[in-house]
Amino acid sequence: MSVWLPSQGSLWGRRMGDVEPEKTGKILTEFLRFYEDQYGVALFNSMRHEIEGTGLPQAQLLWRKVPLEERIIFSGNLFQYQEDNKKWRNRFSLVPHNYGLVLYENKVAYERQIPPRAVINSAGYKILTSLDQYLELVGNSLPGTTPKSGSAPILKCPTQFPLILWHPSARHYYFCMMTEAEQDKWQAVLQDCVRHCNNGIPEDSKVEGPAFTDAIRMYRQSKELYGTWEMLCGNEVQILSNLVMEELGPELKAELIPRLKGKPQERQRQWIQISDAVYRMVYEQAKARFEAVLSKLQLARPAMEAVIRTDMDQIITSKEHLASKIRASILPKAEVCVRNHVQPYIPSILEALMVPTSQGFTEVRDVFFKEVTDMNLNVINEGGIDKLGEYMEKLSQLAYHPLKMHSCYEKMEPLRLDGLQQRFDVSSMSVFKQRAQIHMREQMDNAVYTFETLLHQELGKGPTKEELCKSIQRILERVLKKYDYDSSTVRKRFFREALLQITIPFLLKKLAPTCKSELSRFQELIFEDFARFILVENTYEEVVLQTVMKDILQAVKEAAVQRKHNLYRDSVVMHNSDPNLHLLAEGVPIDWGEEYGDSGAGGGDPGAQEAAPLSEKRRRAKQVVSVVQDEDAGLPFEAAPEPPSPSSPDSVTELRGLLTRDLQAESPPLAGPLLNGAPVQESPQPGLAPEATSPPASPLRQLPSEKLVGLEPPKPSDQETGEQVSSPGSRPPIHTTTEDSAGVQTEF
């Protein structure tokens, strides 16, 4: 490989010259052969699944068929380091619903719809909160360039609260805040961005997605790289670029490091710029090649589907015959390997997974209970249904609120396998942490959406204020029972999948020296017409999986019987417990702001609304998509300290105590309104709807005592539960954007 290097003193990023494409092209060609092979297998498996089904337990909670769009996750100001002039600049930053971090020159530029300076897709990035962490990673990535003690580092931060986005190959991004509170807030937001962008292959991709991930695994195993891969992050092109850079990186370092000049800090800076430039070129080449192959496969798909439909039974029979022959050959060796090297460690691995995961799902339950209870109190405070639309708009986006969900996500951070992590060649636990966190977000959103749907149905009956309070509590209890069942099902499936991800690569690596050489002789058992849908290597892996699967299923089953982590037994099945509920989800998505907000049920001439200027409609739309409120007026570095939040119960225990006290005749009034956990805005911004004020008396004093029964969250039946503290957040209306961040970092 030859790389043109600019003369010393010029910007490395100005022009990298021509990187010979042979090495990149060779890697892509080899991988894409694996992908074409796996595409036919994935297509057959998908069609077989549609016919045979899986018999999985029916979910009790509803899920959104129309996702929430045009919402803002966060917006605010932060300092960004400009590498071209080595200065820090204040930027207005926005995280839209696609989780791409958008950087504008300032807020005026955003409001005038001036193109942003950058759109950052954070897949594969790590978020660092100290310069020491960053300098250590930079030093490790480029040996021999560590500056001497006391010398100036590669980067100086003007405050003690940096946030750095680090990538092993792509450009790094440097930000800083003025306070630790702002740093924590932005860290939670950016972690959400990384988590979402890492999960870049669509869940509903039943053919292309599995074909791609299986091809990645098969390709790396052909290079004798087993175990989890930390850079399986982002969409297909990003992952493929990471795969190329995994092989290209060492060659680049060997060729270029001796040619770098200057002090250690300057050489580090040069290498970061070179690596980013190469990564961008690799990305463009990978994108073109992958899209070309994918288009070819999609054109061939109808003919492949026709063959599968016609010969489905014969293909299944042929595959089962092949599996029986492979099983007879390798089963004794596989069973011995499982018994000696895997089976004794399954309970320890499962326990390490179960503790933080179950704590996280318990926290999701408690946060959901607290938010609904706060909303109920606020509805009573504000005089019934008039404010319901406003509060339900906020509640509907709870699962996407980085600060309120943070207490759930952070439960996964202690996940460790200790010595077992090295034994089973698990390079990083981040894969499992992020997968569990995504499940938490999905279950929270399912619980919220089910609550929305049931409440919307109840509102059709025209309830009074007292009836509404009772209905909210009754629906809350109903949803919590469904959540308990679904969360148990999701966790058990997650545990099984994680155990397989940990143990199967280990088994394949152990068995490879004695079993893999024998596989070629089984190729003759596959009919030529079916060779696109049956592969010896895949069938061999399925046989290995079956040898350990029974031990994994037994371990998870025993954990459920012990009821240690609030898991339902497998014998507890809730089939069609609420048969009419799923019919409700078939309707039009609920727009709480329109139906029950100030511009909805509260009145207004529909004709006048239709005649409103487009700019006015856009302004109103911006106000209902806000998820997180940046409380500070003006820049966060110039704002006065936040006013203390009115006394709001911060845990389930405190809520119970509050409700118990209100049952007494001489209950003292609440200190202020509980605006779904948000602080009161003393001076609303121009153009924004002001927050409602609190009546002088506690809402619960206005209700009969029998109405308060059931405000304590119902316990999961036949399970043990714990209490977790959740932190309230806040969120005012802010602007939205529709910038696309599907690619790598885009500079404007």
Side-chain angles (χ1 to χ4, degrees):
M1 154 178 272
S2 62
V3 179
W4 177 84
L5 294 177
S7 59
Q8 187 68 23
S10 62
L11 275 176
W12 294 95
R14 184 178 299 163
R15 177 173 179 266
M16 279 299 301
D18 297 324
V19 177
E20 293 294 335
E22 283 80 5
K23 179 65 176 179
T24 300
K26 181 182 177 182
I27 297 172
L28 293 174
T29 298
E30 188 176 355
F31 166 79
L32 290 172
R33 279 200 298 266
F34 280 95
Y35 181 62
E36 291 186 60
D37 290 342
Q38 294 301 322
Y39 191 90
V41 176
L43 181 60
F44 167 73
N45 290 337
S46 175
M47 295 180 66
R48 183 179 181 180
H49 171 76
E50 289 178 4
I51 295 172
E52 297 180 350
T54 59
L56 293 175
Q58 179 182 352
Q60 297 299 301
L61 295 171
L62 302 177
W63 54 276
R64 295 183 197 274
K65 296 182 179 179
V66 180
L68 293 173
E69 298 288 352
E70 298 302 320
R71 66 175 181 271
I72 281 294
I73 305 302
F74 196 74
S75 73
N77 290 78
L78 45 70
F79 280 125
Q80 182 192 16
Y81 181 69
Q82 303 296 296
E83 297 177 73
D84 52 355
N85 58 18
K86 296 182 174 57
K87 293 183 179 180
W88 292 84
R89 290 287 182 265
N90 205 346
R91 300 292 183 218
F92 177 71
S93 308
L94 192 78
V95 179
H97 65 270
N98 58 16
Y99 287 89
L101 178 61
V102 187
L103 302 176
Y104 290 89
E105 186 73 34
N106 47 48
K107 192 169 185 178
V108 174
Y110 162 68
E111 291 172 342
R112 293 179 179 176
Q113 301 184 12
I114 297 174
R117 292 186 61 86
V119 178
I120 304 173
N121 185 306
S122 55
Y125 277 85
K126 288 184 178 179
I127 299 175
L128 310 176
T129 56
S130 76
L131 282 179
D132 290 340
Q133 290 177 301
Y134 177 68
L135 296 176
E136 181 180 358
L137 283 174
V138 171
N140 293 339
S141 65
L142 197 63
T145 61
T146 304
K148 295 180 181 180
S149 178
S151 59
I154 186 176
L155 176 72
K156 290 183 179 180
C157 184
T159 74
Q160 299 179 11
F161 310 105
L163 272 184
I164 301 172
L165 294 178
W166 178 89
H167 192 283
S169 303
R171 175 185 173 181
H172 304 165
Y173 292 89
Y174 313 98
F175 306 102
C176 73
M177 295 78 196
M178 291 298 292
T179 67
E180 186 176 4
E182 286 295 318
Q183 184 190 45
D184 292 343
K185 185 187 300 182
W186 274 107
Q187 183 183 9
V189 172
L190 294 180
Q191 286 286 12
D192 250 20
C193 293
V194 172
R195 187 181 302 114
H196 180 88
C197 293
N198 280 351
N199 194 40
I201 299 178
E203 296 285 342
D204 56 357
S205 176
K206 304 302 182 185
V207 177
E208 287 81 2
F212 184 84
T213 53
D214 286 347
I216 289 285
R217 190 184 73 254
M218 293 294 188
Y219 176 85
R220 298 188 79 248
Q221 287 176 185
S222 72
K223 309 294 182 183
E224 298 187 357
L225 296 171
Y226 295 82
T228 57
W229 185 39
E230 194 173 7
M231 292 309 295
L232 191 69
C233 304
N235 58 38
E236 290 89 343
V237 179
Q238 289 172 310
I239 295 171
L240 191 48
S241 302
N242 295 336
L243 186 73
V244 174
M245 292 300 294
E246 185 180 35
E247 294 189 39
L248 214 56
E251 293 188 18
L252 274 175
K253 291 178 182 179
E255 182 173 348
L256 298 183
I257 287 179
R259 303 171 65 179
L260 299 179
K261 306 298 181 182
K263 296 180 180 180
Q265 301 92 322
E266 184 60 28
R267 281 182 283 158
Q268 288 177 343
R269 189 176 295 109
Q270 292 168 1
W271 171 251
I272 293 170
Q273 293 172 346
I274 291 172
S275 179
D276 174 59
V278 173
Y279 181 82
R280 289 169 181 266
M281 288 184 279
V282 167
Y283 180 91
E284 293 302 323
Q285 191 174 348
K287 184 174 186 290
R289 291 285 303 276
F290 177 74
E291 289 178 350
V293 170
L294 182 59
S295 297
K296 183 181 74 172
L297 290 170
Q298 289 174 339
L299 287 174
R301 179 169 175 169
M304 296 168 66
E305 290 178 341
V307 173
I308 293 173
R309 288 193 186 95
T310 303
D311 299 328
M312 174 69 79
D313 292 339
Q314 291 92 325
I315 297 173
I316 293 174
T317 301
S318 178
K319 182 178 178 181
E320 290 176 349
H321 177 66
L322 172 65
S324 67
K325 294 297 183 181
I326 295 177
R327 190 179 297 110
S329 174
I330 66 105
L331 189 59
K333 301 173 187 176
E335 287 181 338
V336 170
C337 190
V338 170
R339 185 165 58 249
N340 294 338
H341 301 289
V342 175
Q343 194 180 58
Y345 303 100
I346 288 178
S348 300
I349 299 173
L350 180 59
E351 183 68 17
L353 290 167
M354 290 175 71
V355 172
T357 305
S358 296
Q359 288 176 350
F361 276 86
T362 298
E363 182 74 0
V364 170
R365 188 184 198 273
D366 288 346
V367 170
F368 173 68
F369 165 78
K370 179 182 183 298
E371 292 296 317
V372 174
T373 303
D374 280 0
M375 184 202 70
N376 202 2
L377 295 173
N378 289 327
V379 167
I380 301 305
N381 261 331
E382 301 302 331
I385 208 172
D386 294 340
K387 287 288 182 178
L388 185 63
E390 177 184 339
Y391 296 132
M392 285 304 298
E393 279 286 347
K394 295 179 180 180
L395 183 68
S396 68
Q397 301 175 97
L398 175 61
Y400 303 94
H401 194 302
L403 304 182
K404 291 187 177 181
M405 290 297 294
H406 180 67
S407 63
C408 309
Y409 297 150
E410 69 179 356
K411 300 296 182 184
M412 290 302 300
E413 293 307 316
L415 177 59
R416 301 285 186 277
L417 291 183
D418 298 327
L420 296 177
Q421 190 164 331
Q422 288 73 34
R423 177 182 181 83
F424 288 95
D425 194 21
V426 180
S427 61
S428 172
M429 296 303 294
S430 61
V431 175
F432 306 104
K433 292 177 183 178
Q434 292 187 13
R435 190 71 213 150
Q437 290 165 343
I438 289 170
H439 284 316
M440 291 176 196
R441 185 183 67 194
E442 290 172 348
Q443 289 299 299
M444 174 67 90
D445 196 44
N446 291 351
V448 169
Y449 181 59
T450 305
F451 179 85
E452 286 184 72
T453 304
L454 291 171
L455 180 60
H456 188 260
Q457 180 191 39
E458 191 70 23
L459 290 171
K461 303 175 183 178
T464 64
K465 184 168 64 176
E466 292 190 0
E467 290 172 342
L468 178 61
C469 179
K470 290 181 180 179
S471 295
I472 289 175
Q473 291 304 319
R474 185 172 63 252
I475 293 170
L476 174 60
E477 295 172 11
R478 188 175 168 187
V479 172
L480 286 176
K481 290 178 181 178
K482 295 177 182 296
Y483 171 83
D484 293 334
Y485 181 80
D486 278 10
S487 69
S488 174
T489 302
V490 168
R491 279 180 289 149
K492 287 190 290 187
R493 184 171 67 246
F494 167 71
F495 297 146
R496 291 193 292 265
E497 291 173 352
L499 285 168
L500 286 173
Q501 272 189 279
I502 292 169
T503 58
I504 291 298
F506 173 81
L507 280 173
L508 293 174
K509 186 176 181 179
K510 280 281 186 184
L511 294 171
T514 57
C515 296
K516 215 167 183 185
S517 59
E518 302 179 15
L519 297 181
S520 58
R521 64 187 177 91
F522 295 108
Q523 187 64 42
E524 62 186 24
L525 298 176
I526 303 174
F527 292 116
E528 186 177 352
D529 294 343
F530 304 154
R532 297 200 67 176
F533 316 118
I534 305 173
L535 296 179
V536 172
E537 187 78 18
N538 290 64
T539 308
Y540 162 70
E541 288 196 359
E542 290 177 15
V543 171
V544 174
L545 182 149
Q546 291 165 5
T547 61
V548 72
M549 191 64 186
K550 57 185 179 183
D551 294 311
I552 290 176
L553 292 175
Q554 183 63 29
V556 176
K557 181 179 179 180
E558 290 175 357
V561 170
Q562 294 173 2
R563 300 181 299 173
K564 187 175 182 180
H565 297 288
N566 307 333
L567 294 172
Y568 280 98
R569 303 183 184 189
D570 292 343
S571 58
V572 179
V573 180
M574 297 173 65
H575 284 307
N576 296 321
S577 62
D578 211 344
N580 296 324
L581 178 60
H582 288 268
L583 297 177
L584 297 176
E586 302 297 328
V588 178
I590 304 167
D591 189 332
W592 291 101
E594 288 296 323
E595 291 191 43
Y596 297 97
D598 293 337
S599 61
D605 181 9
Q609 292 183 24
E610 288 296 327
L614 181 62
S615 59
E616 175 65 15
K617 292 182 179 180
R618 185 171 181 269
R619 186 191 67 79
R620 287 202 302 262
K622 292 175 186 176
Q623 294 184 7
V624 300
V625 297
S626 171
V627 177
V628 181
Q629 181 167 4
D630 195 359
E631 303 89 345
D632 302 328
L635 301 180
F637 313 102
E638 303 169 352
E642 295 182 14
S645 173
S647 58
S648 171
D650 288 332
S651 70
V652 174
T653 306
E654 292 179 26
L655 280 167
R656 293 171 179 168
L658 171 67
L659 297 172
T660 302
R661 290 195 300 272
D662 273 290
L663 287 172
Q664 303 173 6
E666 298 298 326
S667 173
L670 290 175
L674 304 175
L675 300 179
N676 205 16
V680 175
Q681 292 292 315
E682 295 182 355
S683 56
Q685 302 177 25
L688 302 184
E691 300 283 5
T693 56
S694 172
S698 165
L700 300 179
R701 295 182 64 182
Q702 306 170 20
L703 306 177
S705 60
E706 65 270 12
K707 187 174 176 196
L708 300 174
V709 177
L711 281 177
E712 179 176 327
K715 303 291 191 301
S717 60
D718 200 29
Q719 300 173 47
E720 300 171 1
T721 58
E723 306 299 339
Q724 304 292 340
V725 177
S726 60
S727 302
S730 50
R731 47 185 190 277
I734 48 181
H735 297 286
T736 186
T737 186
T738 56
E739 281 81 14
D740 181 16
S741 62
V744 204
Q745 306 82 15
T746 305
E747 295 284 340
F748 294 86

